[in-house]
Amino acid sequence: MIRLEEVSKLYGGVMAVDDLSLTVRKSELLVVLGGSGSGKTTTLKMINRLVEPSAGSIYLDGKDISEVEPHELRRHIGYVFQQVGLFPHMSVSENMAITLQLLGWSAVRIKTRIEELLVLVELEPSMLNRMPSELSGGQQQRVGVARALAAEPTVMLLDEPFGSLDPLTRGRLQESFVKIRRRLGLTSILVSHDMVEALLLGDRIAVMDRGRLVQVGTPHELVHYPASDYVKQLMRTPRRQAKAVDDLLVDDGDVSDKFSQ
């Protein structure tokens, strides 16, 4: 579905992405995992042609995306940001409808699609006339997901979409997105720096470090068969956290030193 072949991106003298080859299968959720400066967001932007690669090729459904006009390419790709990016001067319904209006959909068709989106992202119809500033962070992110899904894309790109939310809201939205993705059969790439999120959501995980791909595998493969010390260190974090929680549940003692075990 999505294929990157020897893709690189150079900013000045800095290699942000270095010779990356990667395939995302149809209907798969691939999590691109790494710390700041690992190249994961740059990779996402190159797939959507928000950033052009310095070298290499990217294919969507077998077609080189460099041969497709950016606006035409983005009609088939939904994009969700951590900052949401809703237009503050537009209501919820106007934010949802903006892409469809640009595509020339009729008012009746847009109204029907918005009603479908509300059900899909679990928002009440009473929110349609609200402004983004009147919504909670979780509600804003649901509207952002709805807007990204409006034109019925086959691909979803998500750049740390849940990172700024409180834990309860984050958990609910993660579960909601998993349901949406499976229902629609979306091919998805989710960028994250959170190991637990990657392990829970990803069909496979691509670990990046300083612009290079370190390992690709299922959550089980990364946990049990890390390909490098870097991956091994990443996978130790959720293990330590899980052990600390388990110890806390069975022991009333001090948990403060359990992260060092």
Side-chain angles (χ1 to χ4, degrees), residues 89-119:
H89 60 289
M90 292 183 176
S91 67
V92 167
S93 62
E94 290 169 336
N95 267 283
M96 287 186 181
I98 184 66
T99 302
L100 305 180
Q101 291 171 342
L102 292 172
L103 292 175
W105 286 31
S106 69
V108 172
R109 189 181 177 192
I110 290 174
K111 182 177 182 294
T112 300
R113 182 56 179 159
I114 288 176
E115 290 170 353
E116 294 171 348
L117 291 167
L118 284 175
V119 174

Side-chain angles (χ1 to χ4, degrees), residues 237-249:
T237 299
R239 283 180 178 273
R240 286 198 303 267
Q241 291 174 340
K243 185 179 186 307
V245 171
D246 285 343
D247 290 347
L248 186 61
L249 291 174

Side-chain angles (χ1 to χ4, degrees), residues 158-178:
L158 303 101
D159 192 358
E160 304 205 40
F162 314 119
S164 61
L165 302 173
D166 66 85
L168 289 177
T169 302
R170 182 175 188 169
R172 286 195 294 267
L173 271 179
Q174 287 172 338
E175 291 175 8
S176 181
F177 176 70
V178 168

Side-chain angles (χ1 to χ4, degrees), residues 167-206:
L168 289 177
T169 302
R170 182 175 188 169
R172 286 195 294 267
L173 271 179
Q174 287 172 338
E175 291 175 8
S176 181
F177 176 70
V178 168
K179 292 177 186 176
I180 292 169
R181 184 184 70 84
R182 288 175 177 167
R183 177 178 170 183
L184 300 179
L186 293 169
T187 303
S188 308
I189 302 177
L190 187 149
V191 160
S192 181
H193 66 273
D194 186 318
M195 280 73 73
V196 174
E197 179 173 78
L199 291 170
L200 292 178
L201 299 186
D203 296 315
R204 289 189 303 146
I205 301 168

